[in-house]
Every structure is written in C-alpha cells, then in structure tokens.
Amino acid sequence: REAESFKEQGNAYYAKKDYNEAYNYYTKAIDTCPNNASYYGNRAATLMMLGRFREALGDAQQSVRLDDRFVRGHLREGKCHLSLGNAMAASRCFQRVLELDHKNTQAQQELKNASTVLEYEKIAEVDFEKRDFRKVVFCMDRALEFAPACHRFKILKAECLALLGRYPEAQSVASDILRMDSTNADALYVRGLCLYYEDCIEKAVQFFVQALRMAPDHEKACLACRNAKALKAKKEDGNKAFKEGNYKLAHELYTEALGIDPNNIKTNAKLYCNRGTVNSKLRKLEEAIDDCTNAVKLDDTYIKAYLRRAQCYMDTEQYEDAVRDYEKVYQTEKTKEHKQLLKNAQVELKKSKRKDYYKILGVDKNASEDEIKKAYRKRALMHHPDRHSGASAEVQKEEEKKFKEVGEAFTILSDPKKKARYDSGQDLEEDGLNMGDFDANNIFKAFFGGPSGFSFEASGPGNFFFQFG
C-alpha cells in the first residue's frame, strides 16, 4: 500500500510535468517494493522525459525481466534503444510488442522508424567511403530525428562537418558530447581534427594524444596524430632551410610535406605558398605562380598567396594578372601599402600597352645618353628606307615603320624631361607630343647632318639616299 501511494504521487507529478519529483516518488516506490515491473516502467518513462535515456533503458529492461508480457516495458526499452541509436535492438523490442499485441499501432510506427534509421546508417556508411560528406551529414540529421541521444551519429556528423571545413559546427557538436562525457575518445578526436584542419597542429596533437589515452586502439586518432606530427616536423624543417638560404632543400621539404595529407587544406595552402616563395627565390617564376595558384584554390582568402603571385606576375610582366590580384587584396584589406602596390601595377600595365621605346632601340632602361645615341645610330641605319629600296613593297613598308619607331624612341629617350614622363607612365600625347605628326627623316638628318661623314640628297618626294664618307 505504501509503494502504491508513492507511485500515485509520482503519477500526479508526472501529469504536472514535474519529472524530477515524479522520479523521486517512483524511486521510493521501487525501494519499498523492488519487484514491481510497473514501477520500473514508470521511472523509465520519467527518465526518458528528462533525456536520461541510458538510465531509462536500464529501468525498462528491468521491468520486462520482472514481467516479459509487460507491453509498455518493451515499448519503452525499444524507444530507449532507438533514441540511443541502436535500431536493431529497438526493432527486436517492437517486434516483441507486436507478438503480444499485433494491433499495437505505436509499435508498428516505431518499427518503421527503426527501419528508417537503419537505412540512413547504411547510406551514410557508403557515402562516407565515397567521401560524399554532405550526404552523410544529411543522413545523420535525419537519423538523429529518431535517435536524438545517439553519440555515434553525432560524432559521425561532426567528423564530416570537419572534413567539409565547417569547423565551428563540428566543434560545437563535439563539445556538447564532451560536456556530458569528458572521456569520449571520438569527441576528443573530432576536436583535434578541427584544430588540425585549422592549422593549429600543436593543439590538435594534444587532443589526439588524449583520445588515444582513452582508447589506445582508436585508428583514426592514431593516423591523425601521426600525420599531424609529420606535417609539423616537415614544415618546420622547410622553414629552417629557407631561413638558412638553402632553397633547394626547402623546396624538397615543402614538397614532401604536401604529400602527407591532401585533406589538410589550410596547412597545404600555406605549404604551397611557402614553396612558391622558394621558387621565386630560385627565379622559377612560372612554377612560383603555379604554387600560389594552388594555394588560393585551397584557400581563396589567403592574402599572402595573392601578394606573392602578384609580385611574380609583375616580375614576368603579366601586368593584367598582377592588377587583378592586387585588386583582390585591396578589396579585402584596404591598407596604404596594398593601395600603392595596386597603383604601381596599374601604372606598369598602362606602360606595357604603349610602345616600348627601350625595346625598339635595344637598350636597357638604365641606359646612358651615349648608349641611347649609339643604339639610335645603329638602328636608324639598319632600317633606313634607302637601304631597302630594292626589297619588296611589303618589306619596304615594314622597314619604314621600324625606321619611324626608332626615330620616335630616340626623340623621347634623348630628352630628359620626355624620358622622365615616359618612365613614370604619363601619357605623352596629353603633354602635347603628337607622334602621328612625327617625321623620322628630320630626326635622321639632324642626327647625321654636318660633319658626320654622311651626305643626303633628295631622290624623289620624301626619299633620301645616303653615302658613307
């Protein structure tokens, strides 16, 4: 009678949704009469409402041990198994209910739910092997609707979120589990995995070691720990070789590091950029550009890689590409330095679209006045129209064009003010110099006239012949 009184008080609190008090009274009833199946069944129901499914499972199992025909006990055991992610055990419980009561609609529905969870598990297993992590996350979300207390499903979801680069979400799931169970090796592994993929390798190793302390045979934690240590060592060795100026060795070490774990996107982006820097030091500029391109493919927010690639583009005179990279950098980080780099690239791009007078004369940009004069003398004589009077009309036209360009180049580069404006990328036509009205013959006469050893006589409209003295 005392036990029944406790049970009735428990029922009253349960009806008012005061599950903690209900639990206390059902416990008193069990303590008073420990062989009553319904008391365990009621306490199991209360624990389920409190989300304490593992404890509830123990009570439900005890209730059906005391009375194998206790339908509610089998139902609650099945619900606990399903909530904890054991769909096979849940199915057996619901089938037992249907043996006792073949019309039980709740058991029929729960059996379908268990089958659904099993199906999602199978799909997720296949998709994980295919590395279709988004699909696995989808399957686990659906399975968790029926199995909200299943740590295994949550861990698989968290691991896939980490592999998808969704680190905050993965960390959140793992942290929730660790709050309930600080020794959960799988959750410790996922926490380490997130740090590892965020290039916090030293901290990641600590979590992997902790996971292995809890579960020494944890294969994933063991592999990740080994990879993390190897990656850290190779990267540090590469950095050391680079600082010592041993670029060939640094290149080898960064290449070896890149082969350790293709899934570590953030670290590999840094390794590609580091190797790109090495290649630029070795003057392998196209290879440096390729490395920086691989870096930004892995991490499109990696400013250092854009800056390195832009400088390589500048060094190889690919100014449009350099401008594009500097624009990306300046849009992300609007600093004075980045603005100046962009401006410089834009000036070089503008200059590259004009005639290259240095190239036309065949001189260096730092050529002296005498070198410019010597170059003009050589090129003007080489392309003078009279020298090609016996050639085809097409060749004559081409040589005439080159002769005019040589004169233009000399006009600009022999005048310090015009040269300075040209070098700074200013538009010369804006400064009043119209090269369309330019007469190359006048420059030629002025340069070779007087006691130069040459004499010029008109042989027709606009034509001259010259004679060596």
Side-chain angles (χ1 to χ4, degrees):
R1 283 196 298 272
E2 189 181 13
E4 280 296 305
S5 172
F6 287 140
K7 173 192 167 184
E8 285 168 12
Q9 289 179 76
N11 289 348
Y13 281 114
Y14 187 94
K16 290 191 286 186
K17 299 183 179 179
D18 187 344
Y19 301 118
N20 286 311
E21 277 303 308
Y23 171 83
N24 291 334
Y25 278 98
Y26 289 141
T27 300
K28 287 177 182 179
I30 288 168
D31 291 342
T32 306
C33 186
N35 295 319
N36 188 302
S38 68
Y39 298 168
Y40 286 101
N42 286 4
R43 191 168 72 173
T46 304
L47 286 165
M48 288 166 71
M49 297 307 292
L50 289 167
R52 292 157 63 180
F53 291 100
R54 203 160 292 283
E55 295 170 71
L57 177 61
D59 275 352
Q61 288 174 325
Q62 180 61 16
S63 75
V64 296
R65 273 195 291 269
L66 292 167
D67 180 2
D68 185 49
R69 301 187 65 80
F70 184 29
V71 170
R72 285 186 181 178
H74 286 296
L75 270 172
R76 284 164 186 159
E77 183 188 353
K79 281 285 287 178
C80 288
H81 278 309
L82 188 57
S83 295
L84 291 164
N86 191 343
M88 288 290 287
S91 296
R92 288 194 291 271
C93 294
F94 300 136
Q95 283 164 352
R96 176 61 182 149
V97 172
L98 291 172
E99 287 171 12
L100 298 169
D101 177 10
H102 69 277
K103 292 183 179 178
N104 192 302
T105 55
Q106 188 180 356
Q108 289 169 356
Q109 182 58 50
E110 293 294 354
L111 193 58
K112 287 179 185 176
N113 293 344
S115 297
T116 300
V117 170
L118 284 169
E119 188 62 28
Y120 280 128
E121 278 192 82
K122 286 177 188 173
I123 295 169
E125 188 178 346
V126 172
D127 287 326
F128 189 88
E129 290 300 316
K130 291 180 183 175
R131 302 188 64 80
D132 188 350
F133 302 125
R134 282 185 179 81
K135 187 84 173 289
V136 178
V137 170
F138 172 82
C139 288
M140 290 301 95
D141 278 337
R142 299 291 78 76
L144 283 163
E145 289 173 8
F146 303 106
C150 181
H151 286 180
R152 186 164 48 88
F153 293 169
K154 289 177 180 178
I155 287 294
L156 181 55
K157 175 185 173 181
E159 184 179 0
C160 290
L161 287 169
L163 291 165
L164 288 167
R166 292 159 63 179
Y167 307 120
E169 294 170 74
Q171 289 269 29
S172 176
V173 174
S175 296
D176 286 345
I177 292 170
L178 288 170
R179 271 193 288 274
M180 292 181 276
D181 178 10
S182 62
T183 64
N184 190 300
D186 291 322
L188 290 166
Y189 159 71
V190 170
R191 283 292 305 275
L193 197 65
C194 291
L195 290 164
Y196 172 63
Y197 285 144
E198 288 183 293
D199 198 40
C200 300
I201 293 179
E202 204 164 324
K203 284 185 181 178
V205 169
Q206 292 172 11
F207 275 96
F208 294 143
V209 168
Q210 201 176 342
L212 289 166
R213 201 175 291 129
M214 301 301 165
D217 59 345
H218 198 296
E219 288 182 15
K220 288 182 177 179
C222 186
L223 176 63
C225 191
R226 190 162 63 243
N227 283 346
K229 286 178 177 178
L231 206 51
K232 182 173 180 285
K234 286 286 181 192
K235 187 181 175 186
E236 286 176 354
D237 288 347
N239 293 348
K240 184 184 175 187
F242 180 82
K243 285 175 185 174
E244 291 172 354
N246 192 341
Y247 301 131
K248 188 179 177 184
L249 178 60
H251 189 282
E252 288 173 10
L253 290 165
Y254 289 141
T255 302
E256 288 171 16
L258 282 164
I260 292 171
D261 184 2
N263 296 319
N264 195 324
I265 290 169
K266 213 150 196 174
T267 302
N268 287 343
K270 290 182 178 180
L271 288 168
Y272 272 120
C273 188
N274 287 1
R275 194 173 73 175
T277 304
V278 170
N279 277 322
S280 70
K281 292 286 186 184
L282 294 168
R283 303 312 295 165
K284 295 179 178 178
L285 297 177
E286 288 302 327
E287 289 179 37
I289 288 168
D290 289 342
D291 277 339
C292 293
T293 299
N294 284 326
V296 297
K297 277 180 184 174
L298 293 175
D299 182 0
D300 64 358
T301 65
Y302 194 10
I303 295 299
K304 190 177 176 183
Y306 283 111
L307 286 169
R308 171 62 56 198
R309 186 171 71 174
Q311 184 56 57
C312 290
Y313 281 139
M314 292 291 285
D315 292 342
T316 53
E317 298 183 2
Q318 299 178 65
Y319 299 120
E320 286 188 9
D321 292 322
V323 167
R324 188 188 62 242
D325 276 357
Y326 283 133
E327 281 175 341
K328 170 79 175 175
V329 169
Y330 185 61
Q331 285 166 8
T332 308
E333 293 182 1
K334 294 185 183 296
T335 67
K336 285 183 179 178
E337 183 189 355
H338 294 158
K339 187 177 183 180
Q340 189 58 49
L341 287 168
L342 174 57
K343 189 177 178 182
N344 293 345
Q346 288 169 335
V347 167
E348 290 302 322
L349 175 60
K350 186 178 178 183
K351 284 161 68 175
S352 72
K353 291 183 181 294
R354 308 171 310 171
K355 290 178 182 176
D356 187 341
Y357 290 137
Y358 291 103
K359 193 173 181 181
I360 289 168
L361 285 184
V363 295
D364 185 76
K365 289 182 180 179
N366 298 315
S368 66
E369 193 176 337
D370 282 344
E371 286 171 329
I372 289 168
K373 284 180 179 178
K374 284 178 185 176
Y376 172 71
R377 177 188 293 272
K378 180 182 174 184
R379 296 293 171 109
L381 292 173
M382 186 188 300
H383 298 297
H384 194 284
D386 284 356
R387 191 165 197 165
H388 304 278
S389 58
S392 66
E394 192 177 336
V395 170
Q396 285 186 31
K397 189 175 180 182
E398 183 63 26
E399 292 298 328
E400 221 173 282
K401 180 186 171 187
K402 288 179 180 177
F403 178 67
K404 184 178 179 182
E405 286 179 342
V406 168
E408 282 182 28
F410 180 69
T411 301
I412 301 304
L413 300 183
S414 62
D415 184 318
K417 287 184 181 178
K418 289 174 184 173
K419 182 177 183 294
R421 286 200 293 270
Y422 174 78
D423 288 343
S424 66
Q426 292 181 44
D427 193 330
L428 297 172
E429 290 193 3
E430 286 178 6
D431 295 327
L433 184 65
N434 186 353
M435 303 311 288
D437 298 335
F438 175 79
D439 189 339
N441 286 311
N442 288 339
I443 297 296
F444 189 85
K445 281 182 186 180
F447 189 88
F448 288 101
S452 62
F454 294 91
S455 61
F456 292 87
E457 293 180 19
S459 62
N463 292 322
F464 296 91
F465 70 88
F466 59 91
Q467 177 182 332
F468 289 93

